[in-house]
């Protein structure tokens, strides 16, 4: 039981608890309107903090390793969406149209930053490359994800030209404001990283509660049966396996060294829960609860699998270095 507990991300447990609270005690009436306004403010705050934390200098310095970052971007915003589009063939026998839209949305959000860095470091990979790859993915995702959702999902997201402008004001404008003010507030954010982390996570929990409360009010949960949920987990397991295999062996075919292949694999096969949940609340409105369900499941799955791979690859490299008497490579050396 202790091993199982270590495999489950505590934050996922909080998210699931928030979902349960929304199911048992959903916000309604004037309370729901209050939560809706609070969610809009929280989303703006989240993206302001994202912008203020992302290092523009690191992104510029990483341009010299552009082939690696291009590979990650193509995996995140080209290969993943293609696999998401292929899931249309699973409707209606395996997935409902709503769950398939959520799965496709999962394939459109940017890559993670923190967990990709942590796993790359644990596996003795190229850490600076992982930092830059996550940064580029987040920057591109501010624009690419809403546009891809409008193009590929359309009807379920119910986006219009005015809607895209509104999204730009709610997501992109705070992000750019954070980037512009980073010079003056970057030090403060660094010194209070832990406290602001609680602000981030608390804001996301508010987004989840509001989205699932709206789902209860509109009755969307009647569309999800245990069998459909199990099918979704199976489809996502296949999706993760395909991306991990494709990034690992594909990067080898492209001639990347081992440390770079590790960075490509972890950054190119993962999706950001922290960025995806707020985006879904803006893009899908009352349908956000079904849209974020696949992302929440995929996030936990990717953490469990990538943690195992990172430990295994790091241990293998340490044993190889010890056996040959060679000095282990320093993670983060940029080639």
């Amino acid at each position: 039981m202790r091993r199982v507990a270590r495999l489950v991300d505590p934050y996922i447990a909080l998210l699931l608890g928030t979902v349960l609270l929304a199911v048992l005690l959903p916000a309604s009436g004037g309370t729901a309107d209050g939560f809706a306004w609070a969610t809009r403010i929280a989303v703006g705050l989240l993206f302001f903090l994202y912008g203020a934390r992302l290092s523009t200098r690191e992104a510029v310095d990483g341009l010299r390793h552009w082939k690696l970052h291009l590979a990650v971007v193509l995996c995140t915003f080209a290969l993943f969406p293609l696999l998401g589009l292929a899931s249309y063939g699973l409707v209606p026998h395996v997935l409902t149209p709503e769950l398939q839209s959520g799965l496709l949305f999962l394939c459109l959000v940017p890559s993670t930053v923190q967990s990709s860095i942590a796993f790359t470091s644990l596996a003795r990979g190229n850490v600076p490359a992982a930092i830059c790859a996550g940064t580029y993915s987040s920057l591109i995702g501010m624009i690419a994800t809403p546009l891809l959702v409008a193009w590929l999902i359309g009807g379920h997201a119910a986006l219009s030209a005015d809607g895209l402008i509104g999204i730009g004001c709610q997501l992109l404008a705070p992000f750019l404001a954070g980037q512009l003010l980073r010079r003056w507030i970057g030090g403060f954010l660094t010194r209070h990283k832990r406290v602001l982390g609680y602000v981030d996570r608390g804001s996301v929990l508010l987004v989840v509660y509001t989205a699932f409360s709206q789902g209860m009010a509109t009755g969307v949960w009647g569309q999800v049966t245990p069998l459909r949920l199990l099918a979704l987990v199976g489809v996502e397991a296949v999706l993760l396996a395909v991306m991990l295999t494709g990034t690992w062996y594909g990067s080898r075919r492209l001639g990347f060294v081992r440390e770079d292949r590790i960075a490509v694999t972890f950054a190119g096969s993962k999706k950001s829960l922290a960025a995806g949940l707020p985006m879904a609340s803006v893009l899908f409105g009352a349908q956000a609860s079904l849209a974020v369900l696949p992302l929440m499941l995929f996030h936990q799955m990717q953490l469990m699998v990538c943690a195992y791979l990172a430990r295994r690859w790091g241990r293998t490299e340490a044993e190889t270095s010890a056996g040959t008497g060679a000095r282990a490579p320093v993670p983060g050396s940029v080639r």
Side-chain angles (χ1 to χ4, degrees), residues 236-279:
E236 292 193 344
V238 173
L239 175 64
L240 180 60
V242 169
M243 289 305 303
L244 285 170
T245 303
T247 50
W248 180 252
Y249 290 103
S251 58
R252 183 172 69 177
R253 290 293 299 271
L254 292 173
F256 290 112
V257 297
R258 179 185 181 278
E259 291 85 355
D260 292 346
R261 291 172 62 198
I262 290 172
V264 171
T265 299
F266 286 132
S269 65
K270 298 168 89 275
K271 290 295 184 177
S272 174
L273 182 72
L277 288 179
M279 285 185 178

Side-chain angles (χ1 to χ4, degrees), residues 83-107 153 156 212 220-236 239 284 287-298:
L83 293 174
L85 289 173
S87 66
Y88 274 118
L90 302 176
V91 179
H93 302 294
V94 179
L95 300 177
T96 64
E98 292 76 16
L99 287 179
Q100 192 278 329
S101 295
L103 182 66
L104 180 54
F105 172 71
L106 147 71
C107 294
I153 300 179
H156 290 287
F212 279 82
V220 297
W221 283 103
Q223 306 169 23
V224 182
T225 64
L227 187 59
R228 293 287 192 183
L229 191 60
L230 184 62
L232 175 63
V233 172
V235 171
E236 292 193 344
L239 175 64
F284 290 91
Q287 296 293 323
S289 56
L290 285 182
V292 303
L293 180 62
L295 180 59
M296 291 172 62
L297 294 174
F298 189 82

Side-chain angles (χ1 to χ4, degrees), residues 53-64:
R53 288 172 181 172
L54 284 176
S55 174
T56 307
R57 175 175 294 180
E58 288 177 347
V60 173
D61 291 344
L63 285 174
R64 54 185 170 181

Side-chain angles (χ1 to χ4, degrees), residues 148-159:
L148 287 171
V149 169
W151 180 31
L152 299 178
I153 300 179
H156 290 287
L159 291 178

Side-chain angles (χ1 to χ4, degrees), residues 68-197:
L68 185 150
H69 305 311
L70 180 61
V72 172
V73 168
L74 289 176
C75 288
T76 304
F77 296 109
L79 181 55
F80 251 119
L82 288 175
L83 293 174
L85 289 173
S87 66
Y88 274 118
L90 302 176
V91 179
H93 302 294
V94 179
L95 300 177
T96 64
E98 292 76 16
L99 287 179
Q100 192 278 329
S101 295
L103 182 66
L104 180 54
F105 172 71
L106 147 71
C107 294
L108 304 180
V109 301
S111 178
T112 61
V113 180
Q114 294 299 329
S115 57
S116 294
I117 296 170
F119 290 140
T120 299
S121 177
L122 184 61
R124 301 195 175 199
N126 190 334
V127 175
I131 294 173
C132 293
T135 301
Y136 292 140
S137 182
S138 297
L139 291 172
I140 294 172
M142 294 298 101
I143 298 175
T145 297
L147 292 178
L148 287 171
V149 169
W151 180 31
L152 299 178
I153 300 179
H156 290 287
L159 291 178
S160 62
D162 292 338
L164 287 175
I165 294 174
I167 290 167
C169 294
Q170 192 170 354
L171 303 183
L172 186 58
F175 179 86
L176 293 177
Q179 279 281 288
L180 292 173
L181 295 176
R182 174 180 169 78
R183 177 180 177 182
W184 295 278
I185 65 176
F188 175 83
L189 295 178
T190 301
R191 291 191 301 271
H192 299 84
K193 184 181 298 184
R194 177 172 295 184
V195 175
L196 290 173

